[in-house]
Amino acid sequence: MAIPITLTAFLFQLAAQAAPAPWALLPVRLGEATALGTEVGGLRVDSVSFGRDERGGLTAEVRATVSAEAGGTRLALAVFDASGAPLVAGTEQLTGGSGTNPLNERALTGVVRLPLGDRSVAEAARWFAAGPVAPPHTAGDVASLSAGGSIALASSVYSQGYRAECVLDDDPGTMWASKTGAVSNEFLVVMLAGDAPVRIRGVAIDPAGEPGYPNCAVKDFAVLVSTDGTVEGDFQEVFRGQCAQPRGLQTFPIPPVEARYVKLLCLSNYGDDKWMELTTFSVLEDQVAAPAAEPVELVEDFGRATQRVRAEQTIELERLPKLQVLAPRPEVGALLLRELPEGELSFRRVPTVAYAVDLEGCKDGSFALAEIQEPGLRAVFGKLTYDFGYLLGGAPQHCGVRLDKPLRGQPRLLQFLARPEPPGNSLRVTLTDQDGEWFTWDLGKLDGRGWRLASVALDPAKAAQHGGEGANGQLDAPLRLTRISVTPKSRETLAGSLSIDEILALSAVSPPAGG
């Protein structure tokens, strides 16, 4: 007997309810397991159970089935209040029982226990949703030959084999070298892709050249831009910086500016009197991040950046969560990512990210990558090390890492993992909007040792400070995460470190009608 069409539609509706799509909003029920069956990039989220920890905070136990293809998608579980405002998100990248988040507890069966905030979060939690994390927004290189960039001028060239175009060819085995004896104030002028000026926000430089000549690498440099010509008077300087000597692509944010031509002025090398060498020069377009389709965006995950590996090190493929391996190429002295798609080998350059540190009333500070390597967990995170030297007693003091990361849409909450050593100092977060107005929020003191969630509601009315030209007191999208910083609170905490990882931006959702 044929099933009536109305009953067929009803059965389809039941099936949809049994396996909700990613980011379907569901009620939070403490002490109950909610069956899902939601597919998230090689993972099937089977069920979610909410409970309380010993202090009354909210926790969630997520049971997931991990397929052989899983690993490229990061799962998020987000919790919202009755109005749909975000409260907190827990994330994990499950790969056969291993994970990447140092806060989470996990089992080999695909069970992850996520900490989701304190008692106030537990009391306000009304809705939750599970789905994929929106990946970080990245800007394109508008200087490379493949994108349509070209060399307009070069101050000198050692030979045809070291021509200036080598810095734009995406090949780490080629490089530009100046003529013999030219070791200061050499320059390259790049015409960017396209037929008109483009808005740029940064440059990336691999200063190194041939192995055996480490001191020929470009050290101090300046970036100049022009919108319509290549003679000296056409250019305006917009940035000065210094390259670290070890090999690797290093990224330097610059104030957003329009440019048709970009001039890299190489002021000095590392002391060699032979020549200057440079492997790669990239110019990063200032692309406005599109609104996120998902309410949880990964703003920065330091595990995507690479650490240097000695050429003699070997890496076992069996230990990899994905079919990828970070492998050294001794012949070019660089670290590359070897990918194995369907059994085929290929190589591409993996940049080593360089972050600037802002100091005010601080004697010394630096930011570098560090790593946790434990059974079932491999996490690479950022570590801000500081030494204030003295307490100024009321005068501004901070040490912060300059991130300059674009945020999609109009996020309502910023969240990240933090580990203070020693505890007791205050954390601050600074955002900048499209008009250059900046807002700084004080997250208060981080007490207690170990990793914990730090978060701040992006309410301009609750900012500790704000300013900038044309300030109107409103967060006008698009926004950028400018800085995460530390402020000392006592003489006992003047020197130490702040480890940070997994910076997330959370957006609001619309609760179901009648919910």
Side-chain angles (χ1 to χ4, degrees):
M1 183 176 67
I3 300 177
I5 190 167
T6 55
L7 178 57
T8 303
F10 175 70
L11 292 176
F12 276 120
Q13 183 179 10
L14 284 181
Q17 290 175 349
W23 295 119
L25 215 56
L26 299 168
V28 172
R29 296 188 176 95
L30 291 176
E32 296 183 27
T34 301
L36 293 181
T38 302
E39 295 286 341
V40 180
L43 298 172
R44 187 180 72 241
V45 185
D46 299 315
S47 66
V48 176
S49 302
F50 289 96
R52 297 274 193 116
D53 60 22
E54 62 277 5
R55 297 184 178 181
L58 187 66
T59 65
E61 184 177 275
V62 181
R63 292 183 174 270
T65 301
V66 185
S67 72
E69 294 78 23
T73 301
R74 188 183 298 264
L75 166 72
L77 181 72
V79 178
F80 307 88
D81 68 12
S83 70
L87 295 172
V88 68
T91 72
E92 184 57 278
Q93 187 165 324
L94 283 171
T95 53
S98 64
T100 58
N101 189 316
L103 266 183
N104 300 340
E105 298 177 14
R106 60 188 62 78
L108 293 176
T109 56
V111 179
V112 181
R113 188 170 182 264
L114 306 174
L116 293 172
D118 57 16
R119 183 184 296 273
S120 64
V121 171
E123 293 173 350
R126 177 70 180 275
W127 304 101
F128 82 94
V133 179
H137 174 75
T138 56
D141 178 10
V142 288
S144 70
L145 298 178
S146 59
S150 61
I151 294 292
L153 291 171
S155 56
S156 69
V157 173
Y158 180 82
S159 69
Q160 179 63 17
Y162 296 88
R163 60 193 180 278
E165 285 77 9
C166 291
V167 304
L168 308 181
D169 64 5
D170 301 316
D171 184 349
T174 65
M175 67 211 67
W176 164 76
S178 65
K179 67 182 181 182
T180 302
V183 295
S184 64
N185 297 315
E186 292 291 293
F187 65 84
L188 302 174
V189 174
V190 177
M191 184 171 69
L192 303 180
D195 300 320
V198 296
R199 187 176 172 88
I200 63 173
R201 181 171 275 278
V203 297
I205 299 173
D206 184 346
E210 294 174 290
Y213 296 95
N215 292 332
C216 288
V218 170
K219 180 183 178 183
D220 298 296
F221 67 93
V223 177
L224 301 90
V225 299
S226 166
T227 57
D228 57 5
T230 59
V231 299
E232 186 172 350
D234 294 330
F235 286 94
Q236 174 187 3
E237 183 175 318
V238 294
F239 184 77
R240 284 200 175 214
Q242 185 178 99
C243 295
Q245 192 169 16
R247 295 172 178 272
L249 197 63
Q250 303 167 37
T251 302
F252 302 88
I254 64 175
V257 64
E258 296 283 327
R260 180 74 180 103
Y261 300 92
V262 175
K263 181 177 184 178
L264 178 66
L265 178 59
C266 304
L267 301 170
S268 66
N269 65 12
Y270 269 87
D272 200 303
D273 61 1
K274 297 181 182 66
W275 47 72
M276 305 181 92
E277 291 183 341
L278 181 70
T279 295
T280 301
F281 179 58
S282 301
V283 179
L284 305 179
E285 185 178 7
D286 181 29
Q287 298 171 329
V288 175
E294 299 86 7
V296 179
E297 175 196 0
L298 181 63
V299 179
E300 178 58 278
D301 173 17
F302 300 100
R304 297 180 301 107
T306 65
Q307 293 179 295
R308 291 186 295 278
V309 176
R310 297 190 306 273
E312 65 268 23
Q313 281 184 294
T314 59
I315 303 174
E316 300 174 16
L317 281 174
E318 290 76 17
R319 297 178 59 188
L320 295 175
K322 294 183 286 185
L323 293 178
Q324 295 181 336
V325 57
L326 293 174
R329 284 275 297 276
E331 66 272 23
V332 297
L335 186 68
L336 299 103
L337 182 69
R338 191 173 71 179
E339 299 178 326
L340 308 173
E342 299 179 357
E344 296 182 4
L345 292 177
S346 64
F347 289 87
R348 69 178 176 86
R349 194 65 170 272
V350 177
T352 299
V353 183
Y355 292 94
V357 173
D358 292 330
L359 304 175
E360 183 175 12
C362 184
K363 183 172 69 174
D364 192 22
S366 63
F367 189 82
L369 300 181
E371 183 179 31
I372 301 172
Q373 186 80 52
E374 299 173 358
L377 173 66
R378 182 186 182 275
V380 177
F381 55 91
K383 189 171 185 178
L384 177 68
T385 303
Y386 55 85
D387 183 0
F388 286 93
Y390 41 81
L391 203 61
L392 292 181
Q397 268 187 294
H398 76 259
C399 176
V401 55
R402 194 186 308 159
L403 295 164
D404 194 47
K405 298 295 179 180
L407 307 179
R408 290 178 170 91
Q410 186 84 47
R412 298 275 295 277
L413 186 81
L414 193 79
Q415 171 187 304
F416 57 95
L417 301 180
R419 186 181 68 184
E421 298 177 36
N425 283 332
S426 178
L427 260 64
R428 290 195 161 197
V429 169
T430 301
L431 266 64
T432 305
D433 72 4
Q434 67 171 358
D435 301 318
E437 185 175 2
W438 55 266
F439 295 80
T440 296
W441 290 268
D442 193 336
L443 280 65
K445 291 198 301 182
L446 269 188
D447 292 320
R449 299 185 180 275
W451 289 96
R452 75 279 316 282
L453 286 171
S455 64
V456 58
L458 302 179
D459 183 350
K462 296 182 179 178
Q465 298 173 321
H466 78 96
E469 294 185 10
N472 62 6
Q474 301 296 319
L475 275 170
D476 300 311
L479 311 176
R480 304 186 78 87
L481 171 58
T482 308
R483 182 173 58 241
I484 295 177
S485 56
V486 174
T487 298
K489 290 300 180 182
S490 72
R491 290 184 176 87
E492 290 72 29
T493 59
L494 288 173
S497 66
L498 173 69
S499 299
I500 58 176
D501 198 10
E502 199 173 76
I503 305 172
L504 304 175
L506 280 62
S507 299
V509 296
S510 298

mmCIF file of all heavy atoms in Angstrom, residues 78 138 157 175-176 202 209 231 267 278 307 343 365-366 385 449:
data_model
loop_
_atom_site.group_PDB
_atom_site.id
_atom_site.type_symbol
_atom_site.label_atom_id
_atom_site.label_comp_id
_atom_site.label_asym_id
_atom_site.label_seq_id
_atom_site.Cartn_x
_atom_site.Cartn_y
_atom_site.Cartn_z
ATOM 1 N N ALA A 78 29.241 24.901 20.915
ATOM 2 C CA ALA A 78 29.019 26.252 21.419
ATOM 3 C C ALA A 78 27.758 26.294 22.267
ATOM 4 O O ALA A 78 26.778 25.601 21.973
ATOM 5 C CB ALA A 78 28.904 27.243 20.259
ATOM 6 N N THR A 138 42.790 34.192 5.671
ATOM 7 C CA THR A 138 44.158 34.468 5.233
ATOM 8 C C THR A 138 44.143 35.399 4.026
ATOM 9 O O THR A 138 43.226 35.355 3.195
ATOM 10 C CB THR A 138 44.894 33.171 4.849
ATOM 11 O OG1 THR A 138 44.144 32.477 3.838
ATOM 12 C CG2 THR A 138 45.044 32.264 6.057
ATOM 13 N N VAL A 157 72.100 43.031 -9.498
ATOM 14 C CA VAL A 157 71.919 41.576 -9.550
ATOM 15 C C VAL A 157 73.292 40.942 -9.697
ATOM 16 O O VAL A 157 74.115 41.408 -10.495
ATOM 17 C CB VAL A 157 71.003 41.173 -10.732
ATOM 18 C CG1 VAL A 157 70.962 39.669 -10.889
ATOM 19 C CG2 VAL A 157 69.603 41.727 -10.551
ATOM 20 N N MET A 175 66.938 32.256 -5.433
ATOM 21 C CA MET A 175 67.100 33.465 -4.623
ATOM 22 C C MET A 175 67.691 34.597 -5.446
ATOM 23 O O MET A 175 68.310 34.375 -6.500
ATOM 24 C CB MET A 175 68.009 33.173 -3.430
ATOM 25 C CG MET A 175 69.442 32.867 -3.820
ATOM 26 S SD MET A 175 70.233 31.734 -2.683
ATOM 27 C CE MET A 175 69.303 30.226 -2.960
ATOM 28 N N TRP A 176 67.511 35.821 -4.949
ATOM 29 C CA TRP A 176 68.175 37.007 -5.502
ATOM 30 C C TRP A 176 69.423 37.281 -4.696
ATOM 31 O O TRP A 176 69.463 37.093 -3.480
ATOM 32 C CB TRP A 176 67.241 38.211 -5.417
ATOM 33 C CG TRP A 176 67.930 39.542 -5.589
ATOM 34 C CD1 TRP A 176 68.374 40.099 -6.749
ATOM 35 C CD2 TRP A 176 68.261 40.473 -4.551
ATOM 36 N NE1 TRP A 176 68.955 41.326 -6.512
ATOM 37 C CE2 TRP A 176 68.896 41.577 -5.162
ATOM 38 C CE3 TRP A 176 68.086 40.478 -3.172
ATOM 39 C CZ2 TRP A 176 69.362 42.677 -4.436
ATOM 40 C CZ3 TRP A 176 68.532 41.572 -2.441
ATOM 41 C CH2 TRP A 176 69.166 42.656 -3.070
ATOM 42 N N GLY A 202 50.450 43.746 4.822
ATOM 43 C CA GLY A 202 51.629 43.092 5.380
ATOM 44 C C GLY A 202 52.562 42.608 4.295
ATOM 45 O O GLY A 202 52.229 42.587 3.107
ATOM 46 N N GLY A 209 69.547 32.938 1.921
ATOM 47 C CA GLY A 209 69.928 32.523 0.583
ATOM 48 C C GLY A 209 70.564 31.152 0.623
ATOM 49 O O GLY A 209 70.030 30.209 1.195
ATOM 50 N N VAL A 231 59.833 56.184 -9.595
ATOM 51 C CA VAL A 231 60.996 57.010 -9.282
ATOM 52 C C VAL A 231 61.006 57.269 -7.780
ATOM 53 O O VAL A 231 60.002 57.107 -7.080
ATOM 54 C CB VAL A 231 60.976 58.330 -10.075
ATOM 55 C CG1 VAL A 231 61.007 58.051 -11.569
ATOM 56 C CG2 VAL A 231 59.759 59.162 -9.704
ATOM 57 N N LEU A 267 68.388 47.359 3.955
ATOM 58 C CA LEU A 267 69.331 48.296 4.567
ATOM 59 C C LEU A 267 70.648 47.640 4.946
ATOM 60 O O LEU A 267 71.702 48.282 4.885
ATOM 61 C CB LEU A 267 68.682 48.919 5.805
ATOM 62 C CG LEU A 267 67.383 49.688 5.542
ATOM 63 C CD1 LEU A 267 66.699 50.045 6.852
ATOM 64 C CD2 LEU A 267 67.680 50.951 4.735
ATOM 65 N N LEU A 278 68.339 37.075 -0.724
ATOM 66 C CA LEU A 278 66.936 37.051 -0.328
ATOM 67 C C LEU A 278 66.242 35.954 -1.124
ATOM 68 O O LEU A 278 66.382 35.886 -2.341
ATOM 69 C CB LEU A 278 66.289 38.411 -0.629
ATOM 70 C CG LEU A 278 64.819 38.610 -0.273
ATOM 71 C CD1 LEU A 278 64.647 38.660 1.238
ATOM 72 C CD2 LEU A 278 64.292 39.896 -0.901
ATOM 73 N N GLN A 307 57.680 24.897 13.503
ATOM 74 C CA GLN A 307 58.918 25.116 14.216
ATOM 75 C C GLN A 307 60.068 24.561 13.376
ATOM 76 O O GLN A 307 59.888 23.655 12.558
ATOM 77 C CB GLN A 307 58.884 24.420 15.578
ATOM 78 C CG GLN A 307 57.875 25.041 16.533
ATOM 79 C CD GLN A 307 57.869 24.316 17.850
ATOM 80 O OE1 GLN A 307 57.523 23.166 17.931
ATOM 81 N NE2 GLN A 307 58.274 25.007 18.891
ATOM 82 N N GLY A 343 48.454 9.054 -2.572
ATOM 83 C CA GLY A 343 49.717 8.382 -2.855
ATOM 84 C C GLY A 343 50.723 9.206 -3.615
ATOM 85 O O GLY A 343 51.835 8.739 -3.858
ATOM 86 N N GLY A 365 60.716 41.764 26.256
ATOM 87 C CA GLY A 365 59.630 40.845 25.946
ATOM 88 C C GLY A 365 59.852 40.173 24.613
ATOM 89 O O GLY A 365 60.495 40.734 23.714
ATOM 90 N N SER A 366 59.325 38.951 24.446
ATOM 91 C CA SER A 366 59.453 38.221 23.185
ATOM 92 C C SER A 366 58.289 37.245 23.061
ATOM 93 O O SER A 366 57.609 36.926 24.041
ATOM 94 C CB SER A 366 60.783 37.457 23.129
ATOM 95 O OG SER A 366 60.848 36.471 24.157
ATOM 96 N N THR A 385 56.905 35.881 26.606
ATOM 97 C CA THR A 385 57.818 35.957 27.749
ATOM 98 C C THR A 385 58.131 37.425 28.014
ATOM 99 O O THR A 385 58.400 38.188 27.082
ATOM 100 C CB THR A 385 59.112 35.182 27.463
ATOM 101 O OG1 THR A 385 58.767 33.821 27.150
ATOM 102 C CG2 THR A 385 60.032 35.183 28.670
ATOM 103 N N ARG A 449 47.313 28.012 38.506
ATOM 104 C CA ARG A 449 48.253 27.536 37.490
ATOM 105 C C ARG A 449 47.555 26.608 36.495
ATOM 106 O O ARG A 449 46.485 26.084 36.758
ATOM 107 C CB ARG A 449 49.432 26.819 38.152
ATOM 108 C CG ARG A 449 50.224 27.739 39.076
ATOM 109 C CD ARG A 449 51.459 27.066 39.652
ATOM 110 N NE ARG A 449 52.172 27.984 40.532
ATOM 111 C CZ ARG A 449 53.056 28.876 40.129
ATOM 112 N NH1 ARG A 449 53.356 28.964 38.851
ATOM 113 N NH2 ARG A 449 53.651 29.669 40.992
#
